[in-house]
Amino acid sequence: ADHRDLHSFPTRRSSDLASAEAMAGDRVKIGDVLCRMDTRELDQQRLELMAELAVLDRQKSKAMADNDPAGVQLAMAGEKLARTRLEIIERRIQDAALRASLDGVVVSGDLRKQVGAVLTQGAPLLAVAPLDGWLLELAVPEADVAMVQQGLTGRFAPTARPEQVQAFSLTRVRPQATLRAHRNVYLAEAETPMPLDWMRPGLEGVARIDIGPRPVWWVLFHREIDYGRLTVWL
C-alpha cells in the first residue's frame, strides 16, 4: 500500500538547521512546523534595514523642512529600496520555518542528529504523506496478467490486520514486467479509500481480483493445464 501523493520538503538554500520538530512516524496537521533553519544572520540584517529606514525617514523629514525636493526624492528612493530588501529578508525568515502543507504522517526523515549542521540546497529533508487517497500496487503473476485489466474490482487484506479487508478498483496495469522476489510480475495500480488510522505507506498484504465466473474445472486445473502445454511445447 502506498499514497497517491507524497509531499517532500527539500531545503531552499544551504543553511544551518536550528531545530527538528518532526520525524518519521509523527502525525502532523497543515501548518505544523517540521523543522527550523537558523535565522540569526537574517535577524541581524533585518535590524540593520530597520535602522536604515529610520535614518532615511529623518533625512526625508529634514529635506521637506528645508524645502529640498531633490533631497526628498533621494530619501524616498532609498526608503523604497530598503523596504524591498526588508520584505525579502522577512520572507526568508518566514520560510526558515518549514511547515506541513497537508494533514498526514511523516514517512521519511529524521533531522535530530543534523541540528546545527549545514544542509545542502535541494537535499530532501522530510516526506509527508496524506492519510487518505491510498494507492495499492499489486504484483500480478506473469501467468495471470492476461486476465487482469482496468476496471476490475477486488479485495485487499493487509498483513498487519488481515481481518480488515478493503475493496479496491484497478485503475491501470503497467505494460512492462519487473522482477520481484526472483520472478517476473506485472505491476497493477488500484484505488481504495482505506480510512484506517493504523495504515502506513509500505504495508504489504494479499489481494484477490475478481475476473468473473469460470468453470469449476478451470479454477481447479488451469495452472496445471497451462504448465503441461508449456512443457509439451518445449
Side-chain angles (χ1 to χ4, degrees):
D2 206 344
H3 276 292
R4 186 192 321 279
D5 299 312
L6 196 67
H7 293 243
S8 60
F9 297 85
T11 52
R12 295 177 176 84
R13 57 184 60 84
S14 298
S15 182
D16 294 343
L17 181 66
S19 64
E21 276 78 8
M23 58 176 291
D26 290 345
R27 293 197 178 191
V28 295
K29 293 184 178 297
I30 185 170
D32 285 354
V33 175
L34 304 177
C35 63
R36 297 179 188 274
M37 302 300 169
D38 189 358
T39 63
R40 286 175 294 181
E41 183 178 347
L42 294 173
D43 291 336
Q44 181 61 35
Q45 294 177 16
R46 181 175 179 272
L47 291 175
E48 292 173 357
L49 285 170
M50 292 177 67
E52 182 179 341
L53 282 169
V55 171
L56 288 168
D57 184 63
R58 288 195 297 269
Q59 290 177 354
K60 181 177 67 175
S61 298
K62 185 177 184 302
M64 292 175 65
D66 295 342
N67 195 22
D68 180 8
V72 172
Q73 291 297 324
L74 185 62
M76 291 178 63
E79 280 186 335
K80 183 177 180 180
L81 178 60
R83 290 189 187 280
T84 301
R85 292 167 58 195
L86 182 60
E87 289 177 1
I88 295 173
I89 294 297
E90 289 180 338
R91 190 180 308 119
R92 291 180 61 185
I93 292 174
Q94 183 178 2
D95 290 346
L98 196 64
R99 299 179 183 274
S101 59
L102 49 80
D103 295 342
V105 59
V106 181
V107 295
S108 66
D110 184 356
L111 303 175
R112 292 175 298 178
K113 293 182 179 180
Q114 299 186 56
V115 172
V118 177
L119 303 178
T120 305
Q121 180 179 0
L125 301 180
L126 300 163
V128 178
L131 291 176
D132 56 2
W134 288 88
L135 180 71
L136 289 178
E137 187 179 77
L138 311 179
V140 181
E142 191 174 17
D144 299 329
V145 70
M147 297 177 288
V148 177
Q149 58 186 346
Q150 180 180 347
L152 293 178
T153 59
R155 295 181 301 166
F156 170 73
T159 302
R161 296 188 182 180
E163 74 279 2
Q164 297 194 18
V165 178
Q166 301 293 309
F168 65 79
S169 175
L170 287 181
T171 55
R172 66 173 55 87
V173 181
R174 299 179 191 173
Q176 187 173 358
T178 185
L179 191 64
R180 291 283 180 89
H182 306 291
R183 62 170 184 164
N184 273 347
V185 297
Y186 285 81
L187 298 180
E189 295 179 3
E191 293 181 347
T192 178
M194 286 202 181
L196 305 174
D197 292 339
W198 54 269
M199 284 292 293
R200 293 293 184 273
L203 288 179
E204 296 183 348
V206 176
R208 297 187 182 275
I209 302 173
D210 183 7
I211 60 172
R214 293 292 190 277
V216 175
W217 66 265
W218 185 92
V219 175
L220 296 175
F221 303 112
H222 78 280
R223 294 188 185 279
E224 288 77 6
I225 293 173
D226 290 343
Y227 177 77
R229 287 172 176 168
L230 288 172
T231 303
V232 171
W233 171 257
L234 295 173

